[in-house]
Amino acid sequence: MRIAVASGKGGTGKTTVAANLAYVASREGHTVAYLDCDVEEPNGALFLRPAISEREPVHVSIPAVEETKCTNCGLCGVICQYSAIVPIKGKVLLFPELCHGCGGCWLVCGSGALSESRRSTGRLETGNANGIRFLQGILDIGQAMSPPVIRAVKAAAPDADFVVIDAPPGTSCPVIESVRDSDYVLLVTEPTPFGLNDLKLAVEMVRVLGLPFGVVINRAEPSASDTHAWCEYEQIPILAEIPDDRHVAEAYSRGEMVCETLPGYVPLFSELLRRIAASLNATTTTAGRRCAP
Amino acid sequence: MKELVVISGKGGTGKTSIVASFAALAGNAVLADCDVDAADLHLVLEPEIRRREPFSGGKRARIEPGRCNACGKCRELCRFGAVLPDRPRDPSGGRVYRIDPIACEGCGVCAWFCPEQAIVLKEAINGEWFVSDTRHGPMVHAKLGIAEENSGKLVSTVRQEARRIAQTLKRDLILIDGSPGIGCPVIASITGTSLILVVTEPTVSGLHDLDRVTALAKHFAVPAMVCVNKWDLNPELALMTETHALRRGLRVAGRIRYDRGVTQAQVARKSVVEYQRNGCSEDIRSAWEAVRRELDRTPDVSGEGRRAS
Ligand code: SF4
Ligand code: SF4
């Protein structure tokens, strides 16, 4: 079962939820894999403290240019939709950061001046955190495109009872890439106006993807908030509420696992896990899991 | 003209609340919300929209089912796994293909090589951008469509428009609310600006992210300052963050204490400095002074908006 943990807004406690969920699942005897797909700012390792055993670069395709063979036909510049390759007077200028590696240029080049090559834009690290299989992607500084690194993390995911995916914040392409083939999406939010605004965007996103989802409210106040009212109105299940507890904030600030430092929180996370599994069983039998638009 | 961009590495550090306060303190800046993926500044500044424009960040392919003879060439060539076999068969009983609009990156390779010319590549509408009036000055903001890409290009569009407005109105400061992360929207937010203010929190994650954003600022040669928000949640780490920043050549703009007034101000749709005079508002005011002084030292930015992917 693949559970993606996402949030419209950053800093809502997404990593806390993902890491503790993986922790309790593993403690309950399940096999667990943790995929840190927040490759721009991967933080899962700070909490799970894995021993990294393998590091490999993530490559993307890019053209290699042999200028002497160029006949100046200009076709590469025409097919490239991203202005990543610009042929001018016997010179072929390449802007690697703009290239999507689509292959168009070397396919149209009839003179053999272009061929497929690759470059590295980040790395994939794998290891083990107390029995949890740990994978993280790290985007190189200055690189603009995180989806290829995210794809590499997901492609390397091992089989496990629970695969927990820590997705990047937001609702655009890196998030989609992270959550798209999960079985369930957990949206972490906080009960503030900004939090609610970003939750609405995140909900719109998972609805476009047609994935079953539920909400976790972090830093929850004892009284009901607009977020509660909105979720009720939209019939979105609130699967857990993590209270606004200074001890939790402090444990987080030191990079500690909430469930380890404050074992009183274990039941909250195992109940969350149970509720995800339960609602998943309910949705799979009624509606088809994926209904791409 | 100067451009100040406020970013945070990891989101949720209070960046937008600080930008809103700076807007109130500056008085006559042009505002640009470049956190196009999860824009929140409008919740506080309540912009009155004067102009709205559609945004197209790229193209998207579409297969015309009547012309597809299911040769499978597109599926073989597509590097993004965006060509899917379609479920309903065409009247002749053959299989046809279709494009998954979410996976499609609009490269057009399929359209170029389709022997039946059954694929059209069309400009996709990925979002919208707005020019608005707010009580603290003109504001350019945007909304990226759900599940859309090319937020970097949308950020560049917002920044270009903000520069145009600043020039026309002869305003000497553009205040940019940047996006989280280090990828394309952030790169587009910071390139060519006068100064970056990194808002961080005293946590190990904050420290880790600060490292990555600092490296990014160096990479694009933009001077940066740092400010630790909610510093009193962990004074030790706050100090560590600041020493760390100083060692990396960043100046410290100040510390902001943890204050529940920040959320109350959000609820009241006000910036914190408008909402209350004391508490963290004092800290924000002194951080603003430090940033202002630093800005005076930076050279003016050129009027032309730079492009980034
Ligand atoms: S397609 Fe090949 S031959 Fe034509 S301009 Fe480009 S590199 Fe030169
Ligand atoms: S591989 Fe595609 S994106 Fe890259 S330069 Fe060639 S045509 Fe442009």
Side-chain angles (χ1 to χ4, degrees):
Chain A
M1 180 190 295
R2 284 187 170 222
I3 306 166
V5 186
S7 69
K9 180 174 161 10
T12 55
K14 187 173 53 62
T15 301
T16 303
V17 171
N20 285 282
L21 208 55
Y23 175 87
V24 295
S26 164
R27 234 178 72 131
E28 288 173 12
H30 301 288
T31 55
V32 180
Y34 183 93
L35 315 188
D36 198 339
C37 289
D38 191 357
V39 305
E40 293 180 39
E41 310 284 5
N43 281 335
L46 297 173
F47 299 91
L48 289 168
R49 301 168 199 248
I52 300 293
S53 49
E54 265 173 80
R55 292 186 172 80
E56 49 185 284
V58 174
H59 290 110
V60 297
S61 290
I62 187 155
V65 185
E66 259 184 88
E67 269 174 4
T68 47
K69 290 192 183 164
C70 173
T71 55
N72 267 310
C73 74
L75 283 177
C76 54
V78 177
I79 195 169
C80 183
Q81 292 293 328
Y82 315 106
S83 314
I85 190 162
V86 183
I88 32 164
K89 296 197 206 105
K91 276 212 167 305
V92 183
L93 300 179
L94 189 66
F95 301 95
E97 6 21 287
L98 300 181
C99 174
H100 286 225
C102 71
C105 56
W106 61 82
L107 287 170
V108 292
C109 179
S111 65
L114 302 179
S115 57
E116 179 169 3
S117 170
R118 53 181 208 167
R119 70 187 181 110
S120 151
T121 59
R123 63 183 193 275
L124 167 67
E125 299 190 343
T126 47
N128 190 301
N130 284 322
I132 299 171
R133 297 288 300 276
F134 181 90
L135 289 84
Q136 69 175 349
I138 303 175
L139 182 71
D140 285 345
I141 304 291
Q143 293 297 336
M145 288 172 225
S146 50
V149 182
I150 296 170
R151 259 174 248 148
V153 177
K154 293 181 73 178
D159 265 343
D161 299 340
F162 289 99
V163 176
V164 179
I165 298 170
D166 188 354
T171 56
S172 65
C173 41
V175 191
I176 306 295
E177 197 60 58
S178 308
V179 309
R180 55 183 309 165
D181 38 28
S182 348
D183 299 303
Y184 197 86
V185 183
L186 207 54
L187 299 174
V188 184
T189 187
E190 50 180 32
T192 63
F194 288 2
L196 178 56
N197 180 56
D198 298 343
L199 174 65
K200 287 178 183 172
L201 297 172
V203 164
E204 242 186 282
M205 170 197 75
V206 284
R207 283 189 172 149
V208 167
L209 293 173
L211 298 171
F213 66 97
V215 165
V216 172
I217 300 183
N218 191 14
R219 296 183 205 111
E221 303 280 348
S223 56
S225 66
D226 287 356
T227 309
H228 290 86
W230 184 78
C231 287
E232 192 178 328
Y233 177 76
E234 291 280 329
Q235 300 188 315
I236 297 167
I238 296 174
L239 300 183
E241 295 191 36
I242 305 169
D244 188 13
D245 177 347
R246 196 167 169 124
H247 299 292
V248 173
E250 283 170 0
Y252 172 83
S253 84
R254 293 188 297 261
E256 294 164 1
M257 291 285 290
V258 176
C259 284
E260 247 169 26
T261 314
L262 307 163
Y265 277 95
V266 171
L268 189 151
F269 286 98
S270 44
E271 174 64 11
L272 174 59
L273 192 67
R274 198 195 56 72
R275 295 188 67 177
I276 295 170
S279 67
L280 207 67
N281 289 335
T283 43
T284 35
T285 46
T286 51
R289 275 227 306 271
R290 222 193 121 96
C291 43
Chain B
M1 188 203 303
K2 315 273 171 141
E3 277 181 323
L4 170 70
V5 56
V6 183
I7 58 173
S8 67
K10 139 187 148 49
T13 59
K15 165 181 70 70
T16 300
S17 295
I18 290 173
V19 172
S21 293
F22 281 7
L25 294 169
N28 64 343
V30 174
L31 313 168
D33 191 349
C34 288
D35 193 352
V36 296
D37 206 0
D40 285 331
L41 195 56
H42 66 277
L43 297 176
V44 176
L45 297 182
E46 304 188 289
E48 214 173 293
I49 296 176
R50 294 277 176 234
R51 189 175 144 210
R52 57 198 311 151
E53 300 281 344
F55 163 75
S56 173
K59 296 181 178 162
R60 197 163 284 156
R62 206 177 69 83
I63 301 180
E64 306 215 355
R67 304 177 74 170
C68 172
N69 72 358
C71 72
K73 187 79 187 165
C74 50
R75 193 170 158 90
E76 172 200 317
L77 291 179
C78 179
R79 299 263 175 154
F80 310 107
V83 182
L84 308 173
D86 212 348
R87 280 161 310 223
R89 283 142 197 266
D90 73 358
S92 63
R95 275 160 74 89
V96 291
Y97 288 90
R98 74 188 167 89
I99 304 281
D100 174 354
I102 292 175
C104 176
E105 295 199 11
C107 72
V109 169
C110 56
W112 187 291
F113 289 99
C114 172
E116 300 297 324
Q117 289 168 0
I119 307 181
V120 283
L121 198 61
K122 274 219 187 101
E123 212 62 48
I125 299 300
N126 312 107
E128 245 188 322
W129 57 273
F130 320 93
V131 178
S132 301
D133 284 337
T134 75
R135 61 185 183 279
H136 300 308
M139 162 162 156
V140 189
H141 49 130
K143 188 174 191 300
L144 191 68
I146 293 300
E148 289 295 350
E149 47 194 309
N150 230 328
S151 43
K153 198 170 163 194
L154 183 53
V155 167
S156 302
T157 308
V158 167
R159 282 189 57 197
Q160 267 166 34
E161 188 58 27
R163 282 192 177 184
R164 206 189 54 75
I165 292 171
Q167 264 172 342
T168 327
L169 301 179
K170 307 218 172 344
R171 302 279 171 109
D172 60 0
L173 178 67
I174 299 174
L175 204 53
I176 302 170
D177 189 355
S179 35
I182 58 157
C184 80
V186 195
I187 293 177
S189 307
I190 67 167
T191 41
T193 55
S194 321
L195 182 65
I196 297 173
L197 175 66
V198 185
V199 178
T200 182
E201 281 177 0
T203 62
V204 286
S205 322
L207 197 58
H208 179 246
D209 295 343
L210 177 68
D211 256 352
R212 296 192 31 100
V213 206
T214 312
L216 190 75
K218 279 241 164 71
H219 187 93
F220 290 96
V222 185
M225 292 183 98
V226 65
C227 147
V228 182
N229 194 12
K230 308 180 195 160
W231 71 270
D232 43 345
L233 281 184
N234 192 331
E236 220 172 293
L237 259 167
L239 185 63
M240 215 158 112
T241 307
E242 289 165 348
T243 6
H244 210 73
L246 286 169
R247 217 176 289 138
R248 282 162 186 268
L250 273 71
R251 280 174 200 264
V252 175
R255 300 174 152 195
I256 299 171
R257 72 193 84 162
Y258 176 75
D259 191 332
R260 289 189 179 250
V262 174
T263 305
Q264 287 155 10
Q266 266 180 39
V267 175
R269 295 182 165 255
K270 287 202 165 90
S271 66
V272 203
V273 293
E274 290 170 288
Y275 183 76
Q276 59 182 43
R277 283 204 65 76
N278 40 21
C280 73
S281 291
E282 293 170 25
D283 305 338
I284 295 177
R285 234 175 277 126
S286 73
W288 168 243
E289 288 311 318
V291 167
R292 193 71 256 201
R293 277 195 302 274
E294 189 67 25
L295 272 174
D296 287 340
R297 275 197 279 266
T298 62
D300 275 1
V301 294
S302 68
E304 281 308 296
R306 266 203 231 174
R307 283 187 158 262
S309 83

